[in-house]
Amino acid sequence: MFKSRWHYLIAALVTFFLLIAALGVLAAVLIYPNLPSLDSLTDYRPKVPMRVYTADNSLIAEFGEERRAVVSLSNIPHFVPQAILAAEDERFYQHGGVDTLGILRAALSNVMSGGAKEGASTITMQVARNFFLTREKTFARKLNEALLSIKIEHALSKDQILTLYINQIYLGQRAYGFGAASYAYFGKPLQKVTIAEAAMLAGLPKAPSRYNPVVNFERARQRQLYVLNRMHVLKYIDDAQYEQAKNQHLVIRSGPLSTKNVSADYVAEMVRQAMYDRYQDAIYTSGMKVYTTIRKRDQDAADQALWQGVMDYDQRHGYRGVEGFVQIPADDQNIEATLDDALQNSVVVHNLQPAVVLEAKPKQVRAYSKDSGMITITGSGLKFAQRALTGGLPAKLDIRRGALIRVEKDSKTGAWRIVQIPTVEAAFISIDPKTGAILSLVGGFDYNLNKFNHVTQAWRQPGSSFKPFIYSAALEKGFTAATLVDDAPLTIPAAQAGGVEWSPKDYEDTYSGIVSVRQALTKSLNLPTIRILQAIGPNYARDYAKRFGFDPARQPPYLTLALGAGSVTPLQMARGYTAFANGGRLATPYLITRVVDQQGRILSQTVPEKPRQVIDPRNAFIMTSLMQSVVRRGTAARAMQLGRSDLAGKTGTTNDQFDAWFTGYQSSVVGVAWIGFDQPRTLGRGETGAQAALPIWMKYMGTVLRDVPQTGYAVPSGIVTATINPLTGLPAANGETGYNEYFYQETVPVLTTVPAIPEAVPATPETPQPDTPQPDSSPVF
C-alpha cells in the first residue's frame, strides 16, 4: 500500500509538471487574453448596507442584503491578517497567485492520508473565485481560477488582494467580510478582537457552516486551536500569547447580526421609508450613510423612560396569566434540549425572558430560561403573580409545571421576578423647539411586537393637553390670566355639542365656583374651559389651532373641542407646543440632516425651515407662565420632584381614561408622552395623564436636563404686571389684598365673569365662595 502511494505521487508529479507546461502555452495563446476585466477589483465597490446614525455618530441601524463592515489593513490589529494567512495561505507573500509548493505539499499530504483531504487554493485564487467564478468542481473552472489569480497578482499589490479577501469572503451569519463577522460572533468591531477571537474568525473561510461557533462551538473550537498552532509555528505569536489565547474563554453572540448601539427601531424605519422613496433599491447596496437629528443620550433616555412607564402601569393592573403551556416528559433525560426547542419561537422582549416552569409552589417557582438556564424565584419575585400560584385565576392561566411565563432579573440584586409582556402601548417624542430637530422618538413599547408607529400614525384624542391652544386663542380675544370664569355645572344643547345633549363635569366631579383663567388651567377645570370656548366661538378656536399645525378637519367645531375631542398625533402635539416654548415661533420637525455616499460625499443635506411666528410673543410668554403653574401647583405638580423652576406643560386625560398624555417643555426641549390601548378602552380608574404619562416625561427630562442650567423665559416687550384683587379680577384698590399677574400692556382686566351659556343650568351662586381656591400669590417667574 505504501509503495503504491509513492508510485501514485511520482506519476502525479510528472503529470502535473507536464500539464503545467502545456497549460502555460494554452493559456498564453487562447485563454488569458479572454479573461474577464478586473474592474470590479481595481474599483472595488462591495455591497455595503445603508447605515443610519444619530447626530453624534452612534449607529442606529443598517439595511442591506449583505452585512458588511469594510476595514483596511492599516486599522486592524496585525495578528488578524496573520491568523488568516496561518489558516489559509501562509506563503501568500511569496507565491505569484498559484502556490506550486503548496500544491505539492497538499498532494503529498493527500497521498499519505489516503484521500483528498487538503486543498491548495491560495487567497488570490479564492478572491478570483468569489468575484468571477462559480464553486463548481470542474477542470475548466480550476484552470480559469489559476489564470485569473495570476492576472490579479499582476494588477494588484499583495496588500490590496488581502484587503479584498478580508472584506469580501462570506463567513456565515449573513456576514460578508471579517469586519461584519466580528460583530456577528463577538458583538465588537474587528479592531477590538483578541488573538483568540481572530483565530476563531480565521478558521471560518474553510467551511463557514461547518465551523460556525453559534451552531457547533466545539467544532469551531478545534478549528481555532489549529489556527493558533499554525500562528505559533510560524512565529506570529510567542509562547505566552499562544497559551493565553488557547485558554481564553470566548463569548459567542447567539442573536442576529447587529452593530447598532442605540435602540431606535421606529426612527430607523422612518428613515428607511424616506430613503427608499428617493433612491429605491440602491439604499441596500450602495453604502449610504444617513445622519439624523436623534441624540444618543436623548434616545436612550426616552426608550428607558417609556419602557419603565409602561412596565409600571402594567404592574399596577395585575397579572393576567401565563402565555401558554409546554409538554414536558416526566422522564426526559435531555430536558434542556427539549425546553430550548419549546422556547425557540419565544423571543426576549427588552429584558423580559421567556421561561418554562418546572416546579410551582406558592413560595417558590423553578423555571428554565434559554438565555439564563435554571432559575429559582422566591419572595418578592412572586408577589406580582401570586394569584396565579394560589388558584386565583382560571386554570388555563395558572402557573404550574409546563407553563410559559416571563421573568426578569433585577440588575441591582440579581433576584428574579415573574413579569409579563404589557398589552398597553405608549409613545414619546422630543423636539428642539428652536430648530425643529427631533431629538428622540419611540413609537411604541417594542418594535418587534408592534411596528405601528404611535408617534406619527396614532390619531388619538388629546384631552386636556389641548386646552392651552384654547386658552391661547382666548388671550387674543381679550381674556387675561386674571379673567374670572364660573366653574359650575351646565348642560350643553345638542346643537352646540355635536348632536347629543351634553352635561360635562370636572374630573373629580367637584366645583370651585368663580376661578381665574390661571386657576382653571392650573387645575385643568373642564367647565370654565367650556365657557371660555363658548365665549370665543368653537369655529374661531378651530381656525386658531391651525396656526399650530393642527388639521381643522380633525377638530370638531363644537364645545367638545374644549376638552380635546379632536384627533392629533404625538408628533403634532410636540410641534404645536414648540410655539409656546419658542416665543410664539412654530418649528417644523425634521429627522434627517444629511445623506453621504460610501466615499463621504454629500448626496443631500437638510436646510431646516426657519420657525414661523404664529402667535404674539406675549401670548406665548403668558401661556408659558400659565403652564408653569400647572407644573408648580397644578395637575402636574409631581414634576416638581425634578427640582427645576423652568418647566411648563399640561396633562391630558380623555373620557373614561382612554388616553393619557403629558406635553411639556423647557426652553431647549419639548417632550410628549402618550399611553393607551391600540383598540381604545379604559386605562383604568385613576390612570390620568398625571399618573400614567407624566412619569415617562419626568424620567426623560430628569436625564437629559441633568447637567443643563436652569433658564428663565425672557419677558417680551409689551408685557406688564398688575396687582389683582382675586375676588374681582380687577386691579386691587388701595388697601385691598392682591397678587401679581401678567397682562398685555394694552389689556385692561374688566371681565369679572364670562357670560353664562343661555342653556346652562347654574347650580351654584355666581359669586365667589369663601373656600374658593385663590390664584397664585405672585408671578411664576
Side-chain angles (χ1 to χ4, degrees), residues 79-90 123 162 165-166 178 198 202 205 227:
F79 53 76
V80 172
Q82 288 175 341
I84 296 169
L85 297 181
E88 293 295 314
D89 190 356
E90 65 188 62
I123 282 177
L162 184 56
Y165 178 83
I166 287 174
F178 283 81
V227 176

Side-chain angles (χ1 to χ4, degrees), residues 246-301:
K246 282 198 306 180
N247 295 321
Q248 181 184 336
H249 174 67
L250 297 184
V251 178
I252 306 297
R253 288 172 56 93
S254 58
L257 171 60
S258 175
T259 59
K260 70 179 185 179
N261 53 21
V262 60
S263 178
D265 292 328
Y266 293 96
V267 172
E269 179 57 18
M270 290 172 66
V271 171
R272 188 198 68 79
Q273 290 180 17
M275 293 295 292
Y276 186 83
D277 288 344
R278 183 166 185 176
Y279 298 104
Q280 300 297 302
D281 288 336
I283 67 174
Y284 302 119
T285 59
S286 59
M288 294 177 184
K289 294 181 179 179
V290 185
Y291 292 90
T292 69
T293 56
I294 298 296
R295 298 190 305 209
K296 175 175 168 52
R297 183 186 64 167
D298 289 68
Q299 184 65 26
D300 288 345

Side-chain angles (χ1 to χ4, degrees), residues 399-413:
I399 296 176
R400 61 180 187 272
R401 181 176 170 83
L404 180 61
I405 63 173
R406 293 279 166 170
V407 296
E408 179 185 35
K409 189 175 185 178
D410 190 292
S411 59
K412 296 180 179 178
T413 66

Side-chain angles (χ1 to χ4, degrees), residues 177 194 199 241 291 295 376 423 462 555 621 668 670 685 729 750:
T194 64
Q241 290 174 314
Y291 292 90
R295 298 190 305 209
T376 301
T423 56
Q555 312 307 322
F621 177 83
S668 65
V670 174
R685 178 66 180 171
V750 294

Side-chain angles (χ1 to χ4, degrees), residues 440-599:
S440 69
L441 188 152
V442 187
F445 177 68
D446 187 275
Y447 181 79
N448 293 315
L449 291 177
N450 188 348
K451 292 178 172 54
F452 184 77
N453 189 335
H454 297 83
V455 168
T456 61
Q457 297 175 298
W459 291 92
R460 308 291 293 221
Q461 289 190 341
S464 294
S465 61
F466 196 77
K467 286 178 180 176
F469 304 107
I470 304 298
Y471 282 67
S472 176
L475 292 181
E476 295 305 302
K477 280 289 192 176
F479 279 77
T480 73
T483 301
L484 298 182
V485 192
D486 194 7
D487 180 29
L490 51 80
T491 298
I492 310 299
Q496 297 183 38
V500 179
E501 187 177 84
W502 180 38
S503 296
K505 299 178 180 180
D506 289 331
Y507 177 69
E508 296 292 345
D509 204 12
T510 58
Y511 306 99
S512 301
I514 302 300
V515 297
S516 69
V517 163
R518 179 179 293 276
Q519 197 172 358
L521 187 63
T522 298
K523 302 299 182 182
S524 196
L525 301 177
N526 292 336
L527 299 170
T529 308
I530 294 169
R531 286 186 164 93
I532 290 172
L533 180 60
Q534 192 274 342
I536 66 175
N539 283 298
Y540 172 77
R542 182 179 69 164
D543 292 341
Y544 184 84
K546 186 178 179 180
R547 304 184 186 189
F548 299 89
F550 296 109
D551 181 1
R554 291 182 178 269
Q555 312 307 322
Y558 303 108
L559 293 182
T560 53
L561 183 62
L563 308 188
S567 296
V568 300
T569 66
L571 175 60
Q572 284 187 326
M573 288 296 285
R575 185 191 185 194
Y577 271 70
T578 65
F580 296 133
N582 193 30
R585 296 180 293 274
L586 183 72
T588 300
Y590 70 103
L591 182 60
I592 297 174
T593 59
R594 69 187 187 280
V595 180
V596 302
D597 65 15
Q598 195 171 346
Q599 286 72 43

